[in-house]
Amino acid sequence: TTPNPLTNATCHLLIQKVDPTKIVAYIMSGPQTNMPAGTTINFSQLQGVEKDSLGIINNGQWVCSVPGKYLIFADATNDGGYISIALVAANKSIGIGTYPSSGGLIPSEAAQTAFTMGYANLASGDIVFAYNIQQSISITTQARVTAHLIIYKID
């Protein structure tokens, strides 16, 4: 109501179908119970697509095969407490995910998920990975960390 809406204003919304051939998704190669700061999350097990025609997993990191512009998402869940991750593409940090983002207190045994995303213009051979930026994701032997990496080519 303040300011008053423009007379005869028009709003346009464009919705495009997501091309499933431009999406690849990976999951952490196995739950881990303790990951020191700087530990790279090891991704494997292609999910959601029959074949990754955009890149390849090599030593747990995704290596781009098809140059272009990409949206990249990463999450990690620690079922035993606090978690924080960084997302790297082509040697540049493109996102940091921390939980809780508000800095509030949480029970250490409660499951926490950190989520982050970023944009990257990748060349053939560029590497994408996520890593732990906390001193320890988990300090209990029962806590498990799971993670996902989703890569979408936008051009």
Side-chain angles (χ1 to χ4, degrees), residues 58-81:
N58 186 15
N59 294 324
Q61 301 175 3
W62 188 78
V63 182
C64 180
S65 299
V66 180
K69 298 173 183 162
Y70 288 84
L71 285 176
I72 304 164
F73 306 84
D75 71 71
T77 300
N78 177 19
D79 67 9

Side-chain angles (χ1 to χ4, degrees), residues 17-121:
K17 182 179 177 184
V18 174
D19 183 351
T21 64
K22 294 183 177 183
I23 299 175
V24 290
Y26 292 91
I27 192 166
M28 190 175 181
S29 64
Q32 297 189 19
T33 56
N34 191 7
M35 295 177 66
T39 301
T40 297
I41 296 172
N42 190 15
F43 291 102
S44 67
Q45 188 180 338
L46 187 62
Q47 290 187 329
V49 292
E50 293 179 14
K51 181 180 177 186
D52 182 352
S53 59
L54 302 174
I56 189 169
I57 284 289
N58 186 15
N59 294 324
Q61 301 175 3
W62 188 78
V63 182
C64 180
S65 299
V66 180
K69 298 173 183 162
Y70 288 84
L71 285 176
I72 304 164
F73 306 84
D75 71 71
T77 300
N78 177 19
D79 67 9
Y82 189 84
I83 191 166
S84 187
I85 59 172
L87 183 58
V88 175
N91 296 317
K92 295 178 186 170
S93 177
I94 62 170
I96 293 178
T98 302
Y99 187 93
S101 58
S102 64
L105 296 176
I106 55 168
S108 62
E109 68 278 1
Q112 309 298 327
T113 299
F115 173 84
T116 189
M117 65 176 287
Y119 164 86
N121 194 1

Side-chain angles (χ1 to χ4, degrees), residues 129-152:
F129 65 95
Y131 68 94
N132 173 30
I133 55 177
Q134 291 300 311
Q135 292 208 350
S136 178
I137 283 183
S138 170
I139 58 171
T140 69
T141 57
Q142 296 158 337
R144 296 182 324 136
V145 177
T146 54
H148 303 90
L149 179 67
I150 301 170
I151 300 166
Y152 181 66

